[in-house]
Amino acid sequence: MPRARSRYAPDRGLTGRMVTTMFLIGLLYVVFVGVLLAALRGSWPIILIITGGLFIAQFWFSDRIAAYGMGAREVTPEQAPELHGTIDRVCALADMPKPKVAIAESDVPNAFATGRSEKTALVCATTGLLRRLEPEELEGVLAHEMSHVAHRDVAVMTIASFLGVLAGVITRIALWGGFARSRPGNDPAGILLLLIPLISAVVYAISFLLTRLLSRYRELSADRAAALLTGRPSALASALTKVSGQMARIPTEDLRKAEPYNAFYFMPAFSSKESLGRLFSSHPTLEQRLDQLSRISADLSR
């Protein structure tokens, strides 16, 4: 018998956006590989091996690679009793199996979740976050991260980001692998081959925008689900305000190291006010998140 659904509030809007994003990403993937096969007809076995291998690696290992890149170190209940205790409470509230629990040695106050499913899920908090938040605030943040696991949007984001990575890799192979030199200049396939960098750029841009739109919605969905599960939207709002304020005190070098992983984090880290990451942020603004929590608090009080 399959396990019953968790107690997190279902979000049909998130589900619809995930399905739409995966469909459009899949369509882009088919078109992109089709163009590659048409342009590099003599090298189709290489293309299939590369695309298949990258997809398998992206799906099976990207969560572990991301966790490693962010410095996650799995800890036992004896090593981190407060963190384990908070996650135990959230799991009990949500009726979910307990994920792996990790800590990252970083002063950047943040948290993240990775994993393809509940069985492989990992929830991590940084030492900076644990040092700064009160217990109820930490519970709100971890409930937010656990909702990503319950709604399975972590896995969808992992797969959705694959095509952008693939487009960049294939472009480098096409440009550096000498394929262009094997085509006569008046061959239509040779002309098509020259368009691969442009096609790759378009594919990457579309996949980037699709994943960013999904990412912003999923963060609002996670805030909403966490607030309803714990019944304390004010605690999550307090955590958001505190973490956002503390980011300005973090050294630029530390923020620069964290910035590439913003799509995974509870709160994005930007190394400068001029950062392009702010324009194409994976998260909604702090004001949008606080406004939603304020409305939820008013609804619950009624």
Side-chain angles (χ1 to χ4, degrees):
M1 293 290 290
R3 197 185 67 80
R5 181 180 297 179
S6 75
R7 295 196 184 103
Y8 275 105
D11 191 324
R12 293 182 179 178
L14 177 62
T15 301
R17 283 168 172 79
M18 289 194 295
V19 171
T20 302
T21 299
M22 290 303 296
F23 173 78
L24 294 176
I25 289 289
L27 186 61
L28 277 174
Y29 175 77
V30 170
V31 171
F32 184 59
V33 173
V35 170
L36 290 175
L37 291 176
L40 308 174
R41 286 172 294 183
S43 306
W44 67 266
I46 298 176
I47 298 299
L48 292 180
I49 291 173
I50 291 174
T51 54
L54 285 175
F55 181 81
I56 293 172
Q58 179 79 1
F59 184 75
W60 288 100
F61 303 115
S62 61
D63 55 340
R64 280 176 259 180
I65 293 172
Y68 176 80
M70 289 182 278
R73 174 179 57 85
E74 195 170 346
V75 292
T76 64
E78 292 73 26
Q79 293 171 318
E82 293 183 5
L83 178 58
H84 270 271
T86 304
I87 290 181
D88 284 336
R89 289 195 297 275
V90 174
C91 289
L93 283 173
D95 189 24
M96 288 177 61
K98 187 176 181 179
K100 298 175 185 176
V101 180
I103 289 178
E105 295 289 338
S106 172
D107 194 43
V108 179
N110 236 317
F112 62 88
T114 64
R116 303 182 310 276
S117 64
E118 290 182 355
K119 292 182 179 179
T120 61
L122 177 144
V123 174
C124 179
T126 65
T127 52
L129 185 80
L130 296 174
R131 186 170 61 252
R132 290 175 172 88
L133 296 190
E134 299 297 325
E136 62 274 10
E137 295 170 336
L138 179 62
E139 182 178 85
V141 172
L142 295 177
H144 168 105
E145 294 304 328
M146 288 288 291
S147 76
H148 287 315
V149 177
H151 292 150
R152 300 185 180 181
D153 54 78
V154 172
V156 171
M157 284 295 295
T158 297
I159 298 172
S161 64
F162 163 71
L163 189 60
V165 175
L166 176 65
V169 171
I170 295 298
T171 299
R172 288 193 290 273
I173 291 173
L175 292 176
W176 299 344
F179 292 127
R181 292 192 294 272
S182 66
R183 300 287 184 184
N186 59 354
D187 187 347
I191 297 174
L192 185 59
L193 180 59
L194 296 177
L195 292 176
I196 286 180
L198 177 60
I199 295 171
S200 297
V202 172
V203 167
Y204 176 80
I206 294 174
S207 62
F208 178 86
L209 292 175
L210 286 173
T211 52
R212 281 298 179 270
L213 290 173
L214 174 60
S215 181
R216 291 178 183 179
Y217 185 89
R218 83 183 187 114
E219 293 301 328
L220 288 173
S221 175
D223 284 347
R224 182 165 55 249
L228 293 174
L229 181 74
T230 62
R232 288 197 293 267
S234 59
L236 182 56
S238 175
L240 281 165
T241 304
K242 187 178 292 186
V243 169
S244 177
Q246 290 292 318
M247 284 293 184
R249 305 180 182 181
I250 304 299
T252 301
E253 183 179 355
D254 293 342
L255 292 174
R256 191 175 294 116
K257 291 178 181 178
E259 197 167 1
Y261 303 101
N262 274 345
F264 289 94
Y265 281 133
F266 167 71
M267 175 69 72
F270 298 113
S271 57
S272 69
K273 292 183 179 180
E274 294 77 24
S275 173
L276 283 176
R278 291 183 182 274
L279 181 61
F280 300 108
S281 177
S282 56
H283 290 59
T285 64
L286 176 64
E287 290 73 19
Q288 287 175 308
R289 299 175 76 173
L290 293 179
D291 182 61
Q292 175 182 247
L293 291 172
S294 177
R295 292 197 304 269
I296 293 173
S297 182
D299 290 341
L300 290 177
S301 65
R302 285 198 292 268

